[in-house]
């Protein structure tokens, strides 16, 4: 049975990080101030990335750093979990992306390099669905309860129900889908900004699921799979408190990784609830969050593939 968390994480060091006008159409978390395309922002993002990698390595996480290419320009290359996922049975899947300047993030050279270290038994590509304007942006769109084989997904322009069904059929998962909206009743673009699942608990903004039946379905599914629910608010979602990831460090120690901004938004009770299970590692990535509209979870592509 596949574990919920892994010690191996792939990350991509950005070359041209900046505010992305194309993704901002459906991502309300991005800032559109004029500084978002400056060289200083790109340089600051690289510094935040390098510090993040050092802190992960310091706790014993196996971080596989790939480098973004200078050309073509890919503003969001730092968020690889949207275009690729890796699974314990040796399956590798690439995904259809909603915006054209993110589709070029898919790189065969990265896949080939990982294939030198890990076994890839099955390779599936969903990207042909882009021709039909159907998208599924990896583990941004899908929160995977890997041991229990459950997908949690909030439907949005970036998360298509037919592709979710296709994933579940392919990988033998059950689907729990719902709509999730913010205070302004705008669809939340990715499930991983309002929900995170660890092995024994889940962090989730239940008030964003307006439909009572769907909200109860999520609650019952989490509880029936043995998860303690740690509820977060709309305001905490805006601080990326839903964008966390459980990882394995040295000696099997589990950590919940979150941004400094997310950590500062949590109450003492919420922090204590998480620390009942995991240590917390908080990382300052203010520029990446502000202009990219994503946080630490988006920066980490978990590698569950068996090693050669």
């Amino acid at each position: 049975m596949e574990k919920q968390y892994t010690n191996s994480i792939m990350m991509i060091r950005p070359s041209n990080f900046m505010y992305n006008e194309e993704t901002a159409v459906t991502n309300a978390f991005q800032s559109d101030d004029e500084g978002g395309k400056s060289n200083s922002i790109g340089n600051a993002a690289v510094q935040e990335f390098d510090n993040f990698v050092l802190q992960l390595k310091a706790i014993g996480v196996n971080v596989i750093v790939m480098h973004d290419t200078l050309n073509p320009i890919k503003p969001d290359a730092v968020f690889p979990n949207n275009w690729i996922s890796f699974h314990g049975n040796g399956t590798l899947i690439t995904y259809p992306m909603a915006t054209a300047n993110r589709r070029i993030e898919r790189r065969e050279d990265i896949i080939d390099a990982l294939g030198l270290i890990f076994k890839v038994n099955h390779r599936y590509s969903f990207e042909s669905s882009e021709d039909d304007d159907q998208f599924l942006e990896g583990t941004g769109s899908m929160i995977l309860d890997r041991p229990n084989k459950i997908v949690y997904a909030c439907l949005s322009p970036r998360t298509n129900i037919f592709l979710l069904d296709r994933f579940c059929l392919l990988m033998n998962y059950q689907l729990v889908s719902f709509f999730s909206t913010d205070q302004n009743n705008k669809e939340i673009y990715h499930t991983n900004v309002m929900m995170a699942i660890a092995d024994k608990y889940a962090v989730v903004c239940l008030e964003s699921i307006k439909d009572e039946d769907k909200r109860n379905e999520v609650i019952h599914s989490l509880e029936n799979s043995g998860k303690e629910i740690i509820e977060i608010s709309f305001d905490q979602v805006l601080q990326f408190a839903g964008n966390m990831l459980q990882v394995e460090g040295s000696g099997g120690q589990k950590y919940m990784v979150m941004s400094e901004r997310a950590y500062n938004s949590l109450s003492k009770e919420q922090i204590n609830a998480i620390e009942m299970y995991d240590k917390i590692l908080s990382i300052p990535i203010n520029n990446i969050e502000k202009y990219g509209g994503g946080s630490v979870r988006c920066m980490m592509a978990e590698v569950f593939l068996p090693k050669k």
Side-chain angles (χ1 to χ4, degrees):
M1 184 173 67
E2 191 172 67
K3 290 199 302 184
Q4 180 62 28
Y5 53 90
T6 179
N7 176 253
S8 294
I9 300 293
M10 185 192 78
M11 299 178 67
I12 297 184
R13 191 174 192 260
S15 292
N16 293 289
F17 176 84
M18 68 181 77
Y19 171 76
N20 187 345
E21 293 176 352
E22 291 188 27
T23 56
V25 174
T26 53
N27 183 347
F29 291 78
Q30 291 175 239
S31 170
D32 62 354
D33 71 37
E34 293 181 1
K37 292 190 175 183
S38 67
N39 289 335
S40 61
I41 294 301
N43 293 334
V46 170
Q47 292 176 3
E48 290 172 351
F49 176 92
D50 289 344
N51 176 61
F52 189 178
V53 170
L54 285 174
Q55 293 205 44
L56 284 175
K57 288 183 174 180
I59 62 171
V61 175
N62 173 35
V63 186
I64 305 155
V65 177
M66 301 293 181
H67 290 255
D68 181 24
T69 54
L70 285 171
N71 290 295
I73 291 175
K74 301 176 287 297
D76 290 321
V78 75
F79 302 134
N81 80 310
N82 297 142
W83 67 266
I84 194 165
S85 68
F86 310 97
H87 304 268
N89 64 354
T91 296
L92 182 156
I93 304 175
T94 52
Y95 294 93
M97 309 285 281
T99 55
N101 69 2
R102 294 214 63 191
R103 296 169 190 172
I104 53 178
E105 294 173 27
R106 293 188 297 253
R107 287 172 48 194
E108 287 299 317
D109 61 316
I110 288 177
I111 293 171
D112 291 342
L114 290 169
L116 299 175
I117 309 169
F118 300 96
K119 295 179 183 177
V120 178
N121 300 322
H122 310 282
R123 168 81 186 273
Y124 300 106
S125 302
F126 282 26
E127 47 261 46
S128 62
S129 297
E130 288 167 353
D131 295 335
D132 300 318
D133 290 329
Q134 294 181 345
F135 313 113
L136 184 67
E137 297 191 334
T139 52
S141 291
M142 300 182 292
I143 303 299
L144 304 181
D145 181 343
R146 292 175 184 263
N148 294 299
K149 309 285 277 187
I150 303 170
V151 175
Y152 295 89
C154 67
L155 304 178
S156 77
R158 302 197 194 186
T159 304
N160 179 272
I161 186 66
F162 300 110
L163 296 183
L164 285 168
D165 287 337
R166 180 179 168 192
F167 175 91
C168 290
L169 184 64
L170 185 68
M171 298 299 292
N172 193 30
Y173 272 70
Q174 293 178 292
L175 176 61
V176 178
S177 65
F178 49 90
F179 286 98
S180 177
T181 54
D182 62 18
Q183 299 101 313
N184 300 316
N185 212 36
K186 183 174 180 179
E187 291 175 342
I188 290 178
Y189 77 107
H190 274 164
T191 317
N192 74 0
V193 296
M194 54 75 63
M195 186 178 199
I197 288 184
D199 57 342
K200 296 179 180 178
Y201 62 98
V203 177
V204 58
C205 181
L206 291 173
E207 65 179 332
S208 73
I209 307 172
K210 303 296 196 303
D211 184 288
E212 185 176 356
D213 290 338
K214 283 294 185 180
R215 186 167 62 247
N216 288 332
E217 182 184 357
V218 171
I219 292 169
H220 294 152
S221 180
L222 291 170
E223 291 178 343
N224 289 341
S225 55
K227 311 291 186 195
E228 178 184 347
I229 295 174
I230 301 172
E231 194 169 350
I232 57 174
S233 67
F234 277 128
D235 288 339
Q236 289 172 322
V237 168
L238 291 175
Q239 303 305 315
F240 294 100
N243 200 251
M244 307 176 178
L245 185 67
Q246 187 180 42
V247 302
E248 181 180 358
S250 300
Q253 174 65 54
K254 295 179 297 178
Y255 292 83
M256 183 56 95
V257 185
M258 65 188 72
S259 73
E260 187 175 79
R261 179 174 163 184
Y263 179 83
N264 290 338
S265 78
L266 297 178
S267 69
K268 184 179 293 186
E269 290 75 20
Q270 289 167 322
I271 290 170
N272 290 341
I274 292 170
E275 289 182 334
M276 286 286 292
Y277 302 101
D278 298 334
K279 290 186 177 181
I280 291 176
L281 177 65
S282 65
I283 310 290
I285 54 162
N286 295 331
N287 288 285
I288 291 174
E289 287 178 320
K290 179 178 180 179
Y291 296 106
S295 190
V296 296
R297 195 276 168 268
C298 308
M299 297 171 67
M300 295 185 283
E302 308 144 280
V303 184
F304 286 88
L305 300 171
K307 290 184 179 179
K308 284 190 173 178

